Amino acid sequence: MNRCLALLVLPLLLVVGGCTAGKADDEPAPRPAAAERPSPFRDCSTLGAAPTAATTAPTTTGTTAAAGGQTLPELTLSCFTGGAPVALRDLAGPAVINVWASWCGPCRKELPAFQRLSERTAGQLQVVGVNTRDSRGGAQSIGEDFGVRFPILVDQGDALQRELKRNAFPLTLFVDADGRIRHIDATGALDDAQLVKLVRQHLGLAVPA
């Protein structure tokens, strides 16, 4: 009797075991992790090469003298897009360096003007951003939303501002072909007309219309 019962139960156990094994095989494979969004910014590989039409900056006058013609600090910053870090003193001028953060309202307001300046002065002037006190996601979103394409360096430790003894946001440096800071602007959001005037006044460059 027991032997007959065992013979009846055994097929049922095999069926249940087969279903259990089949269920594991039918489970969907885990989805691959989403790929990181590509950076909207240009890489920093060209920052050490002088603009092809670079000219010598004018002699120090007016507000230029207030900056003292100091050289850029001996700092090395990482590039937002990766690659080799950039030594600020290796940055070939003339250049306009804009210090910004995504949470800073005036920074967001003026960034499109810096992008237009970058486009209008291609081959004459380097426009470089330094993103500080910010998250990578915040900076990335601003670049995407505002169409910012010029190279961005990352300074999360406030090293540049501490070296310059400036704590304002935004902060813009006008650097001549010899790597000397001719003017530091901390007046707030700059527009196209103000940027054209400051570039002409402190770097001796006429920005094309």
Side-chain angles (χ1 to χ4, degrees), residues 189-204:
L190 297 172
D191 60 23
D192 295 85
Q194 290 171 311
L195 281 173
V196 167
K197 179 181 177 181
L198 290 168
V199 167
R200 182 178 63 250
Q201 180 180 356
H202 300 291
L203 300 180

Side-chain angles (χ1 to χ4, degrees), residues 1-14:
M1 177 70 177
N2 289 340
R3 185 176 179 183
C4 291
L5 184 61
L7 290 174
L8 290 173
V9 171
L10 183 59
L12 292 174
L13 291 175
L14 290 174

